[in-house]
């Protein structure tokens, strides 16, 4: 079997098991489907990964191009992860993230539902939620009977905080088409209302199961040293050991603490002796809002976007195409809930009509002047927004779709697979650093960008230390607060995050370091011929492949 045949068969099989992910890619034929969590379906998915892994091992590796090798690398990483985590460890019996998956997919789907046909697909998907939650509950009950549970804070957060909100979400969701000027015929509207009613009831019952049965039995859960090291190597493509990444992140944090003090003292009216005093001034500055009124917030972010775009052109950092001006700015739709101050919605890869969006809460108290530019760079251009728009626009240069599996946060969280996130969050944080290197930030913005890098470094230390039994939860909270200046409330939330989605928080620093190392490798190889815009375009053209994999692949045969 040829690689093309393996690739096509694997992609078709994968998307049939994950129709929610297919919708995020822009494949509308999957919009009315919902994942099947039956034992038969799970067995079929494992068979797909076993068959694909076996087929890939039969290829002549020496005859493959670098592009083909990257496809094999990405498929193999996902094959190994699913067979290890689901097949060997049976962690689908404790995967509570899947309880939120239909709701989170609907959040993204309804954002692009501009006609009656798409709302009918939404209705069909909602209609399958009771079946889906019954299957999910059966898996969690099987795990409970075997003495296995998710992390206590994950159960408490999803069962106690999120699911009651989700139940209320469905109570008014059927009114959304009319509120957007979309007319459904009587039968379609009745079907949507019935589906929403049943979904709300099913979620309420599922939440009661989580609170009454799962939560009392749950406790703190970490991966353990061997599993953390395996995922670091196999999923994220990081060659270093947990000990090595902790040591490197600690050294980086020490350097950033010194830079923070120097940065504060460089301001004419400030003088501090310690990093804690410097961070106190930065956090005090964070209280100053970006705008005076709520109705000025979105326009302020548009102005930042324009300033960033002009800087990118003036400094010749990218080969910018027309896609840079297609990013949409808007408040979140009424039913787009559980959103922070800002978020991005990626341009759907395979739907040229889809658009990338920068969604902004029009609330002045949610947006600080000191952090607005780094935040805009991370979520918009040249961060997440530019990356997804480039992938969508440059179809001729874009690699095969198998590299784009697990890209949206909500899909990655549900699967607990963060291979693509090493590239995506690594790129967004690299974009922040790039803008600092090229002199974009004001002194205050530079201080916030330094604090963000401190946060990323401290995340690696605590995430890796927690899951390799070097730190307790309380020690992790103390480290974040005392070494990196996290407010105590933020630190407590971070420790819950690390236990809920292990390794995800480490992708920001580790991904950025891999990109910087890759850039250094290319600059050393090309010498005077090195072009930063060409490097960025080549990085985009590879797709969401972890930079560590790219380093190894490019070192084997290309200087592009």
């Amino acid at each position: 079997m040829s690689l093309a045949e393996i690739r096509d068969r694997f992609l078709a099989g994968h998307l049939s098991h994950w129709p929610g992910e297919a919708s995020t890619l822009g494949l509308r034929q999957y919009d009315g489907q919902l994942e099947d969590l039956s034992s038969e379906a799970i067995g079929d998915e494992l068979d797909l990964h076993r068959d694909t892994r076996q087929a890939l091992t039969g290829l002549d590796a020496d005859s493959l191009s670098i592009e083909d090798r990257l496809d094999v690398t990405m498929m193999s990483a996902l094959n190994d992860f699913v067979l290890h985590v689901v097949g060997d460890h049976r962690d689908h019996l404790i995967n509570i993230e899947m309880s939120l998956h239909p709701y989170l997919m609907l959040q993204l789907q309804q954002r692009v539902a501009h006609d009656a046909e798409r709302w009918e697909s939404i209705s069909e998907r909602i209609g399958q939620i009771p079946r889906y939650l019954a299957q999910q509950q059966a898996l969690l009950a099987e795990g409970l009977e075997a003495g296995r549970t998710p992390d206590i804070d994950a159960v408490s957060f999803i069962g106690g905080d999120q699911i009651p909100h989700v139940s209320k979400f469905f109570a008014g969701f059927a009114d959304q088409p009319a509120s957007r000027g979309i007319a459904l015929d009587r039968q379609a509207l009745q079907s949507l209302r019935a589906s929403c009613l049943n979904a709300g009831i099913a979620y309420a019952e599922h939440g009661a199961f989580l609170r009454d049965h799962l939560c009392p039995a749950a406790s703190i859960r970490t991966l353990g040293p061997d599993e953390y090291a395996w995922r670091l190597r196999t999923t994220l493509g990081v060659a270093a050991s947990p000990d090595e990444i902790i040591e490197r992140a600690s050294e980086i944090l020490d350097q950033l603490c010194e830079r923070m003090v120097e940065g504060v003292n460089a301001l004419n009216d400030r003088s501090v002796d310690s990093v804690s005093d410097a961070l106190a001034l930065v956090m005090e500055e964070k209280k100053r809002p970006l705008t005076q009124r709520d109705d000025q917030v979105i326009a302020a972010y548009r102005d930042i976007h324009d300033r960033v775009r002009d800087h990118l052109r003036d400094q010749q950092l990218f080969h910018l195409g027309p896609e840079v001006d297609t990013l949409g700015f808007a408040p979140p739709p009424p039913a787009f809930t559980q959103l922070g101050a800002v978020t991005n919605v990626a341009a759907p890869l395979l739907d040229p009509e889809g658009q990338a969006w920068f969604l902004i809460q029009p609330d002045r108290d949610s947006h600080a002047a000191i952090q607005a530019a780094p935040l805009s760079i991370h979520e918009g251009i040249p961060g997440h927004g530019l990356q997804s728009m480039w992938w969508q626009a440059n179809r001729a240069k874009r690699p095969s779709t198998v590299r784009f599996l697990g890209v949206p946060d909500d899909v990655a969280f549900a699967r607990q697979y963060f291979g693509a996130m090493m590239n995506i969050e690594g790129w967004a944080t690299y974009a922040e650093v790039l803008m600092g290197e090229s002199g974009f930030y004001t002194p205050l913005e530079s201080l916030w960008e330094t604090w963000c890098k401190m946060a990323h470094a401290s995340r690696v230390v605590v995430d890796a230390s927690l899951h390799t039994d070097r730190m307790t939860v309380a020690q992790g909270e103390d480290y974040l607060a005392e070494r990196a200046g996290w407010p105590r409330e933020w630190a407590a939330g971070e420790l819950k995050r690390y236990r809920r989605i292990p390794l995800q928080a480490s992708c920001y620093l580790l991904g950025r370091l891999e990109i910087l190392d890759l850039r250094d490798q290319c600059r050393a190889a090309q010498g005077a011929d090195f072009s930063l815009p060409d490097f960025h375009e080549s990085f985009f053209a590879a797709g969401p492949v972890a930079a560590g994999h790219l380093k190894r692949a490019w070192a084997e045969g290309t200087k592009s």
Side-chain angles (χ1 to χ4, degrees):
M1 188 183 301
S2 70
L3 175 59
E5 292 171 323
I6 297 170
R7 192 167 47 208
D8 292 345
R9 188 182 67 171
F10 173 70
L11 181 63
H14 176 85
L15 295 179
S16 71
H17 289 293
W18 289 87
E21 179 169 20
S23 292
T24 69
L25 291 169
L27 298 172
R28 292 181 55 189
Q29 64 269 34
Y30 293 88
D31 282 355
Q33 302 175 33
L34 192 58
E35 284 73 10
D36 183 353
L37 303 184
S38 67
S39 58
E40 294 80 9
I42 293 170
D44 289 344
E45 184 179 12
L46 290 171
D47 286 343
L48 171 70
H49 286 282
R50 290 190 192 99
D51 293 345
T52 303
R53 182 159 69 179
Q54 183 175 2
L56 291 175
T57 59
L59 295 173
D60 179 7
D62 293 337
S63 68
L64 298 177
S65 68
I66 289 176
E67 289 297 307
D68 287 342
R69 290 181 187 183
L70 288 173
D71 285 349
V72 170
T73 295
M74 295 300 283
M75 285 189 286
S76 296
L78 185 53
N79 292 157
D80 291 345
F81 180 84
V82 173
L83 291 172
H84 175 77
V85 172
V86 179
D88 297 338
H89 288 198
R90 294 181 60 76
D91 279 358
H92 56 296
L93 302 182
I94 57 173
N95 186 0
I96 196 171
E97 297 299 321
M98 289 298 288
S99 295
L100 289 179
H101 183 65
Y103 162 69
L104 295 173
M105 290 299 95
L106 286 167
Q107 291 274 31
L108 296 174
Q109 189 177 358
Q110 59 96 12
R111 181 69 188 83
V112 295
H114 303 308
D115 55 48
E117 181 182 356
R118 295 197 182 197
W119 277 97
E120 289 174 9
S121 295
I122 286 176
S123 180
E124 292 175 14
R125 180 168 280 174
I126 295 173
Q128 298 171 61
I129 286 177
R131 180 269 303 164
Y132 174 97
L133 289 178
Q135 293 172 335
Q136 166 71 347
Q137 189 161 310
L139 294 174
L140 294 173
E142 183 181 346
L144 181 60
E145 186 176 352
R148 301 185 64 201
T149 64
D151 179 79
I152 176 62
D153 281 327
V155 179
S156 178
F157 173 71
I158 292 175
D161 296 341
Q162 294 291 288
I163 284 184
H165 175 85
V166 174
S167 297
K168 294 178 182 177
F169 164 86
F170 283 110
F173 190 63
D175 297 327
Q176 285 301 307
S179 71
R180 303 181 194 186
I182 300 170
L184 302 183
D185 64 42
R186 183 176 179 180
Q187 182 177 354
L189 183 58
Q190 288 177 339
S191 177
L192 177 60
R193 291 191 185 282
S195 294
C196 288
L197 175 63
N198 292 331
I201 293 171
Y203 259 113
E205 293 174 348
H206 187 62
F209 166 78
L210 298 182
R211 294 188 298 272
D212 298 343
H213 298 280
L214 206 57
C215 198
S219 59
I220 292 175
R221 178 179 180 272
T222 59
L223 292 179
D226 291 342
E227 181 65 14
Y228 191 90
W230 185 91
R231 295 193 187 194
L232 184 69
R233 179 179 65 255
T234 306
T235 305
L236 303 191
V238 175
S241 68
D243 284 341
E244 290 168 331
I245 66 168
I246 291 171
E247 181 179 3
R248 188 173 186 189
S250 299
E251 293 172 352
I252 290 171
L253 183 57
D254 288 340
Q255 296 166 4
L256 292 169
C257 287
E258 294 178 5
R259 187 182 305 173
M260 177 64 77
V261 173
E262 293 170 357
V264 169
N265 287 334
L267 299 175
N268 294 333
D269 57 342
R270 310 289 171 91
S271 179
V272 296
D273 297 321
S274 68
V275 67
S276 59
D277 290 341
L279 289 169
L281 288 172
V282 171
M283 292 302 169
E284 185 65 27
E285 186 66 32
K286 187 178 179 294
K287 297 177 182 178
R288 186 166 64 88
L290 175 64
T291 64
Q292 296 302 310
R293 302 196 314 267
D294 292 349
D295 62 1
Q296 297 172 326
V297 171
I298 293 177
Y301 276 101
R302 284 184 179 273
D303 289 344
I304 293 171
H305 170 275
D306 291 346
R307 185 160 61 97
V308 171
R309 180 200 59 209
D310 293 345
H311 181 86
L312 297 178
R313 286 175 173 155
D314 291 345
Q315 298 296 314
Q316 299 181 353
L317 300 178
F318 290 86
H319 299 303
L320 291 179
E323 66 271 6
V324 73
D325 292 315
T326 64
L327 182 66
F329 292 80
F336 204 97
T337 55
Q338 304 300 297
L339 175 68
V342 303
T343 194
N344 76 91
V345 176
L349 181 73
L350 303 176
D351 180 6
E353 297 179 1
Q355 185 177 4
W357 287 90
F358 190 6
L359 301 183
I360 304 161
Q361 293 283 14
D363 170 23
R364 65 180 290 275
D365 294 332
S366 298
H367 305 275
I370 193 174
Q371 69 177 152
L375 193 57
S376 179
I377 288 162
H378 186 105
E379 301 289 351
I381 66 165
H384 293 317
L386 181 62
Q387 191 176 45
S388 77
M389 291 186 294
W390 193 98
W391 283 335
Q392 182 197 59
N394 291 273
R395 299 179 67 86
K397 302 175 185 177
R398 194 184 62 227
S400 63
T401 307
V402 293
R403 297 191 206 168
F404 290 84
L405 302 179
V407 168
D409 287 355
D410 297 328
V411 172
F413 290 1
R415 193 178 292 137
Q416 299 284 289
Y417 177 77
F418 301 115
M421 199 163 287
M422 272 290 284
N423 177 293
I424 293 166
E425 292 300 351
W427 172 261
T429 53
Y430 167 79
E432 297 175 38
V433 171
L434 178 70
M435 297 300 285
E437 290 176 338
S438 59
F440 176 78
Y441 296 122
T442 67
L444 284 174
E445 290 168 347
S446 183
L447 287 177
W448 186 259
E449 193 258 340
T450 298
W451 185 82
C452 288
K453 288 191 285 192
M454 291 174 64
H456 299 151
S458 62
R459 280 174 170 173
V460 172
V461 173
V462 178
D463 180 55
S465 297
L466 180 70
H467 286 286
T468 56
D469 301 332
R470 291 169 171 84
M471 277 186 186
T472 64
V473 170
Q475 289 170 334
E477 291 180 9
D478 288 343
Y479 185 92
L480 292 180
E482 296 168 9
R483 286 285 290 113
W486 289 81
R488 282 282 175 178
E489 182 179 355
W490 294 8
E494 282 290 300
L495 266 294
K496 294 176 182 178
R497 170 184 178 172
Y498 305 158
R499 284 147 50 205
R500 180 184 169 197
I501 43 175
L503 281 92
Q504 187 274 341
S506 292
C507 291
Y508 296 74
L509 174 66
L510 297 180
R512 181 178 80 233
L513 292 178
E514 293 279 20
I515 294 171
L516 290 169
D517 288 348
L518 178 63
R519 189 179 71 177
D520 290 344
Q521 172 183 299
C522 292
R523 180 178 278 118
Q526 296 175 355
D529 293 331
F530 176 79
S531 161
L532 191 57
D534 288 351
F535 169 77
H536 292 150
E537 183 156 307
S538 295
F539 185 80
F540 279 175
V545 177
H549 293 316
L550 281 179
K551 267 197 303 186
R552 289 183 283 275
W554 287 1
E556 290 175 3
T558 183
K559 296 180 180 180
S560 300

